[in-house]
C-alpha cells in the first residue's frame, strides 16, 4: 500500500482501495449533521448552523444534512469499511458534539469496534458565551479499538481532557481542528504507524500525523480543501537545496 496519499472524492470509494488490516489508526472528524433539533434546521448550510453571521467567510462543506437514521446508517457503512482496513488492536478516534454523542457511540459499536471511552476537547473560554447558559466549550472524541488492545503498544499515556483553543492563524476550514490538538490525538497510533482520516477537510489530522512522524492516508470530497491540505503538507517539507 502507498502511504501519504490524499484522495479527492467520496471516502467510500477511497476506503475500497485500501487493503485488509493495512492501517494502524482511524482518526477522523466527520460531518456531524448536528446543529438543529429538527429536519428543517439540519438542512441549513453548515455556516448558518455552526458559525452564525461570521460564517460566510468560510467555504461550505458537504455531507452535513442527514437525519438521525440516515446519519447512523452512513456512519456504520464507512466505519465497517474502516474496520476491515485496520489492523487488529488498532485505535479509532471519532470527533463528535453533544447532540451526536449517542449516535457516534452506537455507530462505532455497530461497525464492530470496542468502545473504550470519551476524551474531551476543551475549547477553553475562547468559545462563544451565551448569557444564562453553560458555555458550549467542549467537543468529544469517542474512542475505541478493533478488538483487544494490548497494553504494550508503542504509544504513550494520552490526556483524558485536551485543552486547546481554536486560533485564527491555525484555522483553515469552517470546523477545522487546532493542529496542536490533533498532534496530541494522533499519538494514540503506534510509533511508525499509518493514520487514516477519511474526512480530511483542511488536512489537520494528516498534517499532525506528518509532524509527529506517522504515515498518513486521507480523503476529502471538496477540491478547495484538497488544495488547502496540499499547501499545508507542502509547507512541512524542507526547502529544496
Ligand atoms: C468536519 S470536516 C473536517 C475538518 C478537519 N478536521 C479539519 O481540521 O479541517 C468534514 C469534511 O468531510 C468532507 N466530506 C463530507 N462527506 C464526505 C465524503 N463522503 N467523503 C469524503 N469527504 C467528505 C467535508 O467536505 C468536510 O470538509
Amino acid at each position: 500500500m502507498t502511504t501519504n496519499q490524499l484522495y479527492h472524492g467520496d471516502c467510500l470509494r477511497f476506503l475500497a482501495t485500501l487493503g485488509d488490516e493495512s492501517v494502524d489508526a482511524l482518526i477522523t472528524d466527520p460531518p456531524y449533521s448536528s446543529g438543529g433539533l429538527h429536519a428543517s434546521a439540519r438542512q441549513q448550510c453548515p455556516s448558518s448552523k455552526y458559525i452564525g453571521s461570521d460564517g460566510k467567510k468560510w467555504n461550505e462543506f458537504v455531507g452535513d444534512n442527514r437525519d438521525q437514521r440516515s446519519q447512523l446508517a452512513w456512519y456504520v457503512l464507512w466505519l465497517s469499511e474502516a474496520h476491515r482496513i485496520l489492523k487488529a488492536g488498532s485505535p479509532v478516534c471519532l470527533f463528535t458534539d453533544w447532540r451526536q454523542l449517542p449516535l457516534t457511540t452506537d455507530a462505532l459499536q455497530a461497525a464492530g469496534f470496542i468502545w473504550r471511552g470519551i476524551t474531551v476537547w476543551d475549547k477553553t473560554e475562547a468559545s462563544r458565551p451565551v448569557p444564562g447558559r453553560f458555555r458550549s466549550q467542549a467537543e468529544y472524541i469517542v474512542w475505541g479499538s478493533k478488538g483487544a488492545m494490548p497494553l504494550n503498544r508503542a504509544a504513550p499515556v494520552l490526556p483524558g481532557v485536551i485543552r486547546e483553543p481554536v486560533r485564527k492563524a491555525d484555522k483553515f476550514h469552517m470546523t477545522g481542528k487546532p493542529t496542536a490538538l490533533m498532534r496530541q490525538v494522533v499519538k494514540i497510533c503506534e510509533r511508525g504507524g499509518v493514520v487514516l482520516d477519511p474526512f480530511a477537510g483542511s488536512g489537520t489530522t494528516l498534517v499532525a500525523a506528518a509532524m509527529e512522524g506517522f504515515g498518513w492516508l486521507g480523503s476529502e470530497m471538496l477540491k478547495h480543501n484538497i488544495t488547502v491540505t496540499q499547501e499545508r503538507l507542502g509547507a512541512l517539507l524542507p526547502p529544496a537545496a
Side-chain angles (χ1 to χ4, degrees), residues 7-14 28-32 50 60-64 66 74 78 95 170-179 182 197-205 219-222 225 228-229 232:
Y7 176 90
H8 177 203
D10 192 311
C11 67
L12 284 170
R13 282 178 178 263
F14 177 55
T28 195
D29 174 25
Y32 295 171
Y50 300 132
E60 298 292 348
F61 61 94
V62 295
D64 202 75
R66 290 178 171 89
W74 180 61
W78 57 261
F95 277 82
D170 181 47
K171 189 169 157 85
F172 303 89
H173 185 286
M174 189 190 303
T175 63
K177 300 294 178 278
T179 310
M182 297 314 299
D197 182 356
F199 303 99
S202 62
T204 315
T205 310
S219 52
E220 164 60 42
M221 199 88 130
L222 298 182
N225 293 329
V228 171
T229 300
R232 294 180 71 190

Side-chain angles (χ1 to χ4, degrees), residues 10-163:
D10 192 311
C11 67
L12 284 170
R13 282 178 178 263
F14 177 55
L15 295 174
T17 69
L18 302 178
D20 296 357
E21 310 233 334
S22 57
V23 165
D24 303 276
L26 170 70
I27 299 177
T28 195
D29 174 25
Y32 295 171
S33 284
S34 186
L37 291 178
H38 307 292
S40 58
R42 289 216 185 159
Q43 294 303 321
Q44 294 177 66
C45 56
S47 61
S48 309
K49 291 194 291 184
Y50 300 132
I51 309 277
S53 57
D54 190 30
K56 294 301 170 203
K57 71 180 183 198
W58 296 106
N59 283 66
E60 298 292 348
F61 61 94
V62 295
D64 202 75
N65 50 10
R66 290 178 171 89
D67 68 14
Q68 286 300 88
R69 293 180 62 190
S70 52
Q71 179 80 346
L72 180 61
W74 180 61
Y75 266 41
V76 174
L77 271 183
W78 57 261
L79 278 166
S80 299
E81 262 298 86
H83 188 275
R84 175 186 66 75
I85 292 159
L86 285 174
K87 295 177 186 166
S90 297
V92 181
C93 297
L94 308 176
F95 277 82
T96 191
D97 68 358
W98 65 272
R99 278 198 185 94
Q100 297 297 46
L101 190 52
L103 179 147
T104 306
T105 57
D106 286 352
L108 181 84
Q109 295 170 91
F113 292 103
I114 297 178
W115 176 26
R116 294 192 176 273
I118 295 170
T119 288
V120 176
W121 170 32
D122 172 0
K123 300 193 261 189
T124 81
E125 291 70 28
S127 51
R128 185 158 43 124
V130 181
R133 299 194 182 190
F134 292 106
R135 199 187 280 264
S136 287
Q137 190 170 334
E139 288 184 31
Y140 307 96
I141 303 163
V142 169
W143 78 279
S145 64
K146 177 172 171 176
M149 198 180 195
L151 289 173
N152 62 353
R153 296 172 62 251
V157 177
L158 295 152
V161 176
I162 306 178
R163 192 169 153 81

